[in-house]
């Protein structure tokens, strides 16, 4: 020991940092207990910070990008950040997953992964685009898929049957899905996609096989996204949690930060759309549930799967983006936008080329230029969301008669023995949009508005107060999470982005070009710094609006994963069809 202590302090620190980097932060704590000298060295230096930053992304960089626009409110305080506790939480989960010992720690598992996935390092222009360390760790923690209890949740049919026409209970959600931990889990599924549990000795014919898990989860998700009772004014006709009646005016909340994404629905939309997009690239229709390549309407119209020349290529490249392997050894930056890296702010192709996008987000010449305050907003506006460019949009639907039949079956709960209707068939259509900005507007605070007003109580991101084992819906989760407490404070600050960033109005109507159908819409911030996309499809020949599309950005602003959500009738009439949609930027 004396010879070890005789080493220069710099060498000792490097050795300790390497111990932590190799996945053994506990060994640092053990060493600190051997003698006073080593304890003083470890706890009086920045070793834990250095170990953390060698394994995970800096938690401050994503927030510092936003801080300029919220006056620094709610941002993590560097001097109070517990580097050791945060690092040990991640490392401990990895060990528990290897030992399959998560029965009493599922809440921490969910909050930790959701926190890591939501804080990936942004992609900056003119800098090397190396993979995010957070993305690497989330991939490691998901190597064997989601834990079995969570997979069982995704394969369960019961929670989909929660929408009724009774105004007193309309759009209610089962207890676990609406809890803090439940919302964070479905948010994680939206971010990562479905990850089947990998059994040690899988039986391909059993319900536990990955293929069977995929099939059951997809069937449950279909029942969710094709439920005709889901759309309502309280949800702003989109994939959002019901807002209190007092904030509706009549279909828009007066306070935009009160609108909260419905992550159970959004995750179901991604599951359905991703499976359909993958099938669209297959040459045969032998697999169960194969989507229709063409569809003939009652008027004899035939809709092709791909409506433009490069549609198949764009879907193929997007699937490659989803599947991209996260490799921390990458040096050329090509992998820094693929896989979970596509969650990163600014990872979409062409995002930083938008009107004043680089200058406003990063400051003039890369400086820390602060924008005008909420009371002195820049009236010119700027493309903070990376709107202007070329996009691919995929929408799916069912034959209307089958949709009605499915909805009636949902109400009467008549299903096959496993509780699911596997005969649901869909049609998918993939189109291209070339969006251009047509103007800007601003959300103004009302006299009674305050960014401290919380969204609907059930969707608070605060941590649960007692242990949750997912065994029963009435059990209340426990154990506080550092990740979630910090995110709650951060969310309050992010709510003010509703007023600090302009509402962007856009259209795919090109000057001098006459089109049979056009899209117009807006992009704005909602609760917690989430980006909301609202679009209206217009039939120019019939001179009326046909459909409305509502979506939420997956990941950070300008992420490569684009936005997922739903579409329904523009008139919001009883019996309107609906279905999932996904859009992503290609250039």
């Amino acid at each position: 020991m004396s010879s070890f202590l005789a080493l220069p302090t710099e060498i000792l620190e490097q050795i300790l940092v390497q111990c932590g980097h190799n996945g053994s932060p506990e060994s640092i704590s053990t060493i600190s207990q051997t003698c006073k000298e080593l304890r003083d060295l470890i706890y009086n230096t920045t070793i834990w910070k250095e170990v953390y930053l060698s394994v995970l992304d800096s938690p401050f960089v994503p927030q510092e990008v936003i801080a300029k626009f919220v006056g620094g409110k709610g941002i993590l305080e560097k001097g109070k950040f517990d580097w050791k506790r945060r690092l040990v939480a991640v490392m401990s989960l990895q060990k528990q997953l290897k030992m399959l010992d998560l029965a009493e720690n599922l809440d921490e598992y969910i909050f930790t992964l959701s926190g890591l996935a939501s804080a990936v390092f942004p992609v900056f222009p003119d800098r090397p685009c190396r993979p995010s360390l957070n993305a690497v760790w989330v991939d490691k923690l998901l190597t064997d898929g989601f834990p079995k209890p969570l997979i069982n949740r995704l394969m369960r049919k019961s929670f989909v049957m929660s929408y009724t026409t009774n105004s007193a209970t309309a759009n209610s959600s089962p207890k676990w899905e609406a809890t803090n931990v439940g919302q964070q889990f479905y948010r994680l599924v939206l971010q990562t996609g479905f990850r089947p549990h990998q059994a040690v000795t899988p039986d391909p014919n059993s319900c536990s096989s990955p293929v069977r898990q995929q099939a059951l989860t997809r069937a449950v998700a279909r029942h969710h996204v094709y439920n005709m009772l889901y759309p309502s004014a309280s949800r702003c006709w989109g994939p959002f949690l019901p807002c209190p009646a007092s904030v509706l005016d009549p279909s828009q909340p007066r306070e935009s930060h009160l609108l909260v994404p419905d992550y159970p629905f959004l995750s179901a939309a991604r599951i359905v759309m991703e499976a359909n997009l993958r099938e669209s690239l297959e040459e045969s229709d032998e697999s169960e549930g194969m989507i229709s390549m063409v569809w003939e309407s009652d008027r004899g119209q035939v809709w092709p799967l791909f409506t433009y020349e490069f549609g198949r290529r764009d879907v193929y490249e997007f699937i490659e983006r989803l599947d991209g392997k996260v490799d921390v050894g990458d040096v050329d930056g090509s992998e820094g936008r693929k896989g979970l890296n596509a969650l990163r702010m600014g990872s979409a192709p062409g995002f930083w080329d938008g009107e004043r996008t680089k200058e406003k987000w990063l400051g003039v010449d890369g400086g820390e230029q602060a924008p005008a305050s909420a009371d002195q907003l820049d009236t010119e506006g700027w493309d903070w969301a990376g709107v202007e460019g070329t996009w691919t949009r995929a929408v799916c639907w069912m034959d209307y008669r089958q949709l009605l039949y499915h909805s009636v079956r949902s109400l009467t709960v008549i299903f096959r023995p496993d509780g699911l209707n596997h005969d649901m068939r869909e049609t998918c259509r993939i189109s291209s949009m070339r969006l251009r900005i047509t103007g800007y507007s601003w959300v103004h605070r009302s006299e009674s508005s305050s960014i401290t007003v919380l969204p609907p109580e059930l969707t608070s991101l605060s941590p649960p107060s007692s242990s949750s084992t997912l065994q029963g819906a009435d059990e209340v989760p426990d154990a506080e999470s550092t990740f979630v407490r910090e995110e709650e404070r951060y969310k309050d600050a992010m709510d003010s982005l509703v007023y600090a960033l302009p509402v962007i109005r856009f259209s795919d109507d090109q000057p001098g070009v006459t089109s049979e159908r056009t899209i117009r819409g807006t992009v704005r911030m909602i609760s917690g710094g989430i980006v909301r996309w609202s679009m209206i499809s217009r039939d120019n020949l019939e001179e009326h609006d046909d459909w409305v599309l509502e979506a939420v950005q997956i990941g950070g602003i300008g992420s490569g994963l684009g936005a997922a959500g739903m579409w329904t009738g523009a008139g919001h009439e009883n019996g309107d069809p609906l279905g999932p949609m996904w859009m992503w930027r290609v250039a």
Side-chain angles (χ1 to χ4, degrees), residues 99-412:
M99 296 183 294
L100 302 177
D101 183 21
L102 271 176
E104 298 181 357
N105 205 22
L106 279 170
D107 292 1
E108 192 68 21
Y109 168 87
I110 293 170
F111 287 128
T112 299
L113 262 68
S114 180
L116 290 175
S118 301
V120 286
F121 201 90
V123 172
F124 291 115
D126 308 320
R127 300 188 195 177
C129 185
R130 298 184 178 90
S132 158
L133 295 176
N134 279 21
V136 172
W137 267 100
V138 173
D139 252 358
K140 284 183 179 179
L141 293 173
L142 290 176
T143 299
D144 295 322
F146 293 123
K148 190 90 168 51
L150 298 178
I151 291 294
N152 290 339
R153 284 279 171 182
L154 292 173
M155 296 191 301
R156 189 173 300 175
K157 180 69 178 68
S158 59
F159 83 92
V160 182
M161 314 309 304
S162 59
Y163 311 115
T164 73
T165 55
N166 186 324
S167 59
T169 59
N171 302 315
S172 62
S173 297
K175 294 181 180 179
W176 191 81
E177 278 70 26
T179 62
N180 310 313
V181 65
Q183 285 288 316
Q184 287 300 298
F185 170 61
Y186 287 102
R187 180 185 184 185
L188 180 65
V189 176
L190 173 66
Q191 294 168 326
T192 66
F194 177 68
R195 303 289 184 99
H197 180 71
Q198 305 292 331
V200 178
T201 54
D203 178 0
N205 298 318
S206 73
C207 290
S208 62
S209 71
V211 172
R212 186 62 174 163
Q213 292 175 47
Q214 292 271 11
L216 288 172
T217 299
R218 184 182 185 185
V220 169
R222 280 172 162 172
H223 280 272
H224 203 162
V225 299
Y226 289 115
N227 192 321
M228 294 177 70
L229 297 177
Y230 181 83
S232 69
S234 67
R235 297 181 183 275
C236 294
W237 307 106
F240 308 107
L241 293 177
C243 283
S246 61
V247 304
L248 297 176
D249 188 22
S251 63
Q252 296 289 331
R254 288 196 295 267
E255 306 297 344
S256 299
H257 63 270
L258 292 178
L259 196 59
V260 178
D262 182 355
Y263 288 115
F265 183 95
L266 288 165
S267 62
R270 169 168 180 171
I271 289 170
V272 171
M273 291 302 308
E274 184 172 345
N276 289 349
L277 288 173
R278 292 181 185 278
E279 284 191 354
S280 74
L281 299 177
E282 297 179 1
E283 296 180 356
S284 69
D285 60 355
E286 296 177 355
S287 62
E288 179 180 354
M290 182 66 181
I291 61 173
S292 302
M293 291 301 178
V294 295
W295 174 71
E296 186 172 353
S297 72
D298 294 335
R299 294 182 293 179
Q301 295 173 308
V302 176
W303 301 99
L305 173 63
F306 300 106
T307 65
Y308 64 106
E309 181 180 2
F310 301 109
R312 185 179 182 85
R313 178 205 64 186
D314 290 344
V315 172
Y316 179 82
E317 292 180 353
F318 184 61
I319 295 299
E320 274 197 329
R321 189 185 303 175
L322 296 181
D323 293 341
K325 182 180 179 181
V326 179
D327 182 4
V328 75
D330 169 63
V331 294
D332 63 4
S334 61
E335 299 301 313
R337 301 172 186 265
K338 295 182 178 180
L340 295 182
N341 285 285
L343 291 168
R344 302 166 71 179
M345 174 184 178
S347 58
F351 170 81
W352 293 103
D353 299 330
E355 180 183 6
R356 305 174 69 197
T357 304
K358 184 190 302 185
E359 292 79 7
K360 293 292 289 184
W361 274 124
L362 304 181
V364 177
D365 298 326
E368 294 295 320
Q369 177 195 21
S373 67
D375 297 327
Q376 297 176 333
L377 292 170
D378 180 354
T379 57
E380 295 182 6
W382 56 291
D383 190 5
W384 55 267
V387 172
E388 206 156 64
T390 303
W391 294 73
T392 294
R393 181 184 75 247
V395 296
C396 292
W397 66 89
M398 296 173 59
D399 176 80
Y400 190 69
R401 288 169 294 184
Q402 187 181 18
L403 182 65
L404 287 173
Y405 178 64
H406 153 65
S407 296
V408 170
R409 287 168 65 91
S410 295
L411 283 173
T412 57

Side-chain angles (χ1 to χ4, degrees), residues 81-96:
F81 188 78
D82 193 337
W83 300 97
K84 175 186 175 182
R85 180 177 179 182
R86 293 287 293 267
L87 177 64
V88 170
V90 175
M91 299 295 188
S92 298
L93 275 183
Q94 185 185 32
K95 291 190 174 183
Q96 291 174 36

Side-chain angles (χ1 to χ4, degrees), residues 515-548:
S515 302
E516 294 183 3
R517 187 174 298 276
T518 52
I519 291 282
R520 68 184 188 277
T522 60
V523 181
R524 68 178 69 210
M525 302 298 296
I526 59 172
S527 176
I530 304 299
V531 182
R532 172 191 180 189
W533 293 75
S534 304
M535 292 175 285
I536 300 175
S537 173
R538 182 172 181 80
D539 186 333
N540 294 321
L541 297 180
E542 299 290 338
E543 297 185 344
H544 67 83
D545 296 335
D546 276 348
W547 315 110
V548 294

Side-chain angles (χ1 to χ4, degrees), residues 389-513:
T390 303
W391 294 73
T392 294
R393 181 184 75 247
V395 296
C396 292
W397 66 89
M398 296 173 59
D399 176 80
Y400 190 69
R401 288 169 294 184
Q402 187 181 18
L403 182 65
L404 287 173
Y405 178 64
H406 153 65
S407 296
V408 170
R409 287 168 65 91
S410 295
L411 283 173
T412 57
V413 200
I414 301 174
F415 298 105
R416 289 170 47 159
D418 61 6
L420 298 168
N421 175 10
H422 292 263
D423 299 325
M424 299 170 65
R425 292 178 62 86
E426 305 166 78
T427 298
C428 189
R429 195 173 192 221
I430 298 161
S431 308
S432 179
M433 304 184 297
R434 187 177 178 184
L435 302 183
R436 64 181 183 88
I437 294 174
T438 59
Y440 303 93
S441 59
W442 298 92
V443 177
H444 300 287
R445 297 177 188 270
S446 63
E447 292 183 0
S448 60
S449 83
S450 168
I451 66 170
T452 60
V453 177
L454 294 177
E457 182 179 355
L458 288 177
T459 64
S460 168
L461 295 181
S462 59
S465 56
S466 66
S467 179
S468 169
T469 61
L470 302 183
Q471 298 303 313
D474 294 329
E475 293 180 344
V476 184
D478 118 344
E480 285 200 308
S481 165
T482 304
F483 287 92
V484 182
R485 287 199 305 272
E486 290 166 350
E487 184 171 338
E488 178 67 21
R489 293 194 296 270
Y490 186 42
K491 191 199 77 66
D492 288 342
M494 295 289 277
D495 284 350
S496 63
L497 287 177
V498 168
Y499 310 103
L501 297 176
V503 176
I504 303 174
R505 298 194 299 274
F506 64 85
S507 172
D508 72 345
D509 183 17
Q510 303 302 317
V513 178

